[in-house]
Amino acid sequence: MTLDSTQGDPAILSALEHLSGSWSWGRPPRLLTLTRRSTQPAVPTTLAGGVGSQTASDLLEQWIDKCRRHRGLVDVQRDLGVDAVGVAFETGDQHVLYVMDRSGVEYLVEGQRFSTARSAAGANLGGQALGFLAEQIAELTWRLAGWPAPAAGARIRDMWPKPGLVDLDDDELHDRLATDAGHVRLLAVASIDGVAALNGTSAALSSPGDQRVYQAVKRDADVLLIGAGTVRAEQYGPTPLSALQIARRRSMGLAPYPTVAVVSRSLDLDLTGPLFQRHTGRHVPPRPIVIASAAAAASIDPALDERVDLVVAGETDVDLALAVQQLRSQGHQRLVCEGGPALASAMTQAGLLDEISMTITPQLLAVPGPRITSGPSGPAPAANDWQLQRSLIDERGNLFLRYTRLPR
């Protein structure tokens, strides 16, 4: 096996190969941290060693428990500049060095007593053999090393209720945006003059900072609600998550990926689109849910029926309140509505939204376009007053607002 040139840090792999070359047989498992500094290459450091017959999994579990209970331990490791975390152990006549960096890239070095070590970097390297260790390594890496630095233009700081000057890391950003179980949140973006989409999508309005907020909001969602029109226009599919992001979700008791639920009145969905493809890997997104009326469900295409879980809500039209009730009865307590405008409008009219996470992008477009909600005219829903809970800003001037609906 060789290094995948598109993934991983060659210095980390080189350090592991050097350690493998000087392997001392008969030692108990060791927990390793790797620090990359400008003045020297990555250097593996033994953070902890096994005791007696303790296995690699036991050692990892012990340190995960320490990290969960002692925030100070995590802070010290991050201050030391940890870039990767791994475990070294023996199994039969083979020794294994298995490491993950703060981007979720895995490194695997395997050596035999009388043969040259094999090494690789990439994703899902461990397969079934190292599957459980991968889960533990991912959580430890997230806790001890933290998230990668944000992309250029994506640094975010507090504005209100208390201004801040320190860039928020992904955990701090998530804390600012975390929601309560049972809430339905709308996720939206618009220009200064209120345009929410160009050519049917919001891609031109997004930015690196907006993508960070988008990911933070989705990170604790059980279900992502989206309209069929948006699925068609955006070629919508599951957002890939790193091993660290999945570890963060699992630590909260969530499934590795949120479920995508498509609201469709006609069931006119393209089965060749990315949402309906079969996925491979250690963790795969769940089957999408399609929410439809009984009339539409009666004539569902058998090919579509094989690839989705159908939720029937309403007789001749989709009853969104009933759909939300059914999703909650299945255990989905945190729902994020990604739109588009017609679905957001219907959710508003039905009084189903509890929160809004809104990005105002510093663009003045002066072109026709939909708002974040658009639909047939009708009476304003009752008790539709909202209160600002939080505002953030990124270095490009994108403003992130979090509103909650006032009690009815």
Side-chain angles (χ1 to χ4, degrees), residues 28 33 55 67 71 92 96 101 113 135-136 157 164 190 194 200 203 233 240-241 258 263 303 309 327 332 362 366 394:
T33 60
T55 66
C67 289
R71 178 68 205 179
V96 177
D101 69 21
R113 281 186 181 271
E135 300 294 317
Q136 296 176 305
R157 63 182 175 91
L241 297 180
V263 178
D309 293 327
L327 291 173
H332 302 303
D394 71 13

Side-chain angles (χ1 to χ4, degrees), residues 183-260:
H183 276 200
V184 179
R185 176 188 290 186
L186 175 65
L187 188 58
V189 61
S191 66
I192 296 172
D193 51 349
V195 176
L198 291 172
N199 300 318
T201 80
S202 61
L205 299 171
S206 192
S207 64
D210 178 57
Q211 286 299 308
R212 283 192 69 198
V213 170
Y214 177 76
Q215 290 289 345
V217 169
K218 292 173 63 172
R219 207 164 83 190
D220 65 352
D222 291 308
V223 166
L224 304 173
L225 277 171
I226 190 165
T230 301
V231 172
R232 290 188 291 265
E234 297 188 358
Q235 282 292 290
Y236 185 94
T239 301
L241 297 180
S242 72
L244 276 65
Q245 291 170 319
I246 289 174
R248 181 68 166 79
R249 284 182 57 86
R250 291 174 71 92
S251 75
M252 299 169 60
L254 300 172
Y257 278 87
T259 300
V260 176

Side-chain angles (χ1 to χ4, degrees), residues 36-395:
R36 179 152 175 77
R37 303 183 184 278
S38 58
T39 57
Q40 62 185 32
V43 178
T45 301
T46 299
L47 182 63
V51 178
S53 61
Q54 187 178 48
T55 66
S57 181
D58 293 336
L59 182 62
L60 291 171
E61 189 60 44
Q62 171 189 331
W63 271 81
I64 289 172
D65 182 62
K66 285 185 179 181
C67 289
R68 289 171 178 169
R69 290 186 290 111
H70 300 296
R71 178 68 205 179
L73 178 68
V74 175
D75 291 338
V76 167
Q77 292 301 315
R78 292 192 178 185
D79 290 344
L80 291 175
V82 171
D83 289 302
V85 177
V87 63
F89 63 97
E90 294 178 6
T91 171
D93 288 333
Q94 181 183 51
H95 69 257
V96 177
L97 300 173
Y98 181 53
V99 170
M100 187 176 293
D101 69 21
R102 59 197 304 191
S103 295
V105 176
E106 299 171 55
Y107 303 79
L108 179 62
V109 177
E110 300 172 300
Q112 302 287 340
R113 281 186 181 271
F114 305 106
S115 64
T116 303
R118 301 183 303 163
S119 58
N124 297 322
L125 292 179
Q128 295 296 323
L130 295 176
F132 183 61
L133 288 182
E135 300 294 317
Q136 296 176 305
I137 287 287
E139 180 169 351
L140 260 186
T141 305
W142 151 53
R143 292 185 185 276
L144 292 179
W147 305 100
R155 292 180 296 181
I156 295 174
R157 63 182 175 91
D158 287 309
M159 285 285 290
W160 190 88
K162 183 178 180 180
L165 300 177
V166 178
D167 297 334
L168 302 177
D169 67 22
D170 278 13
D171 280 332
E172 291 166 334
L173 180 60
H174 179 269
D175 290 343
R176 305 300 194 273
L177 300 169
T179 189
D180 296 328
H183 276 200
V184 179
R185 176 188 290 186
L186 175 65
L187 188 58
V189 61
S191 66
I192 296 172
D193 51 349
V195 176
L198 291 172
N199 300 318
T201 80
S202 61
L205 299 171
S206 192
S207 64
D210 178 57
Q211 286 299 308
R212 283 192 69 198
V213 170
Y214 177 76
Q215 290 289 345
V217 169
K218 292 173 63 172
R219 207 164 83 190
D220 65 352
D222 291 308
V223 166
L224 304 173
L225 277 171
I226 190 165
T230 301
V231 172
R232 290 188 291 265
E234 297 188 358
Q235 282 292 290
Y236 185 94
T239 301
L241 297 180
S242 72
L244 276 65
Q245 291 170 319
I246 289 174
R248 181 68 166 79
R249 284 182 57 86
R250 291 174 71 92
S251 75
M252 299 169 60
L254 300 172
Y257 278 87
T259 300
V260 176
V262 183
V263 178
S264 178
R265 291 177 171 79
S266 66
L267 294 181
D268 178 19
L269 296 166
D270 180 7
L271 291 182
T272 66
L275 181 60
F276 303 103
Q277 302 311 302
R278 293 179 174 86
H279 302 271
T280 60
R282 185 173 294 128
H283 296 293
V284 298
R287 282 161 57 98
I289 292 172
V290 170
I291 300 170
S293 67
S299 57
I300 187 172
D301 183 339
L304 175 62
D305 195 26
E306 287 181 359
R307 298 198 190 181
V308 304
D309 293 327
L310 187 64
V311 169
V312 177
E315 293 300 323
T316 59
D317 198 3
V318 175
D319 183 334
L320 288 172
L322 180 58
V324 169
Q325 180 182 335
Q326 291 194 47
L327 291 173
R328 285 176 171 159
S329 71
Q330 295 175 11
H332 302 303
Q333 296 302 311
R334 292 180 173 88
L335 279 61
V336 171
C337 177
E338 293 192 73
L343 177 58
S345 180
M347 295 286 288
T348 303
Q349 291 289 337
L352 295 173
L353 297 179
D354 302 294
E355 297 188 20
I356 300 173
S357 286
M358 177 77 187
T359 298
I360 305 296
T361 181
Q363 300 181 58
L364 195 63
L365 298 176
V367 296
R371 302 178 302 167
I372 64 170
T373 61
S374 62
S377 59
N384 201 27
D385 293 325
W386 296 77
Q387 178 175 333
L388 181 65
Q389 293 291 328
R390 175 80 62 179
S391 69
L392 309 166
I393 193 168
D394 71 13
E395 55 192 310

Side-chain angles (χ1 to χ4, degrees), residues 4-47:
D4 179 346
S5 61
T6 64
Q7 295 190 45
D9 184 340
I12 292 177
L13 196 64
S14 176
L16 295 175
E17 289 170 341
H18 177 76
L19 181 61
S20 176
S22 58
W23 188 268
S24 298
W25 289 91
R27 297 181 63 181
R30 284 171 286 166
L31 182 66
L32 307 175
T33 60
L34 285 85
T35 300
R36 179 152 175 77
R37 303 183 184 278
S38 58
T39 57
Q40 62 185 32
V43 178
T45 301
T46 299
L47 182 63

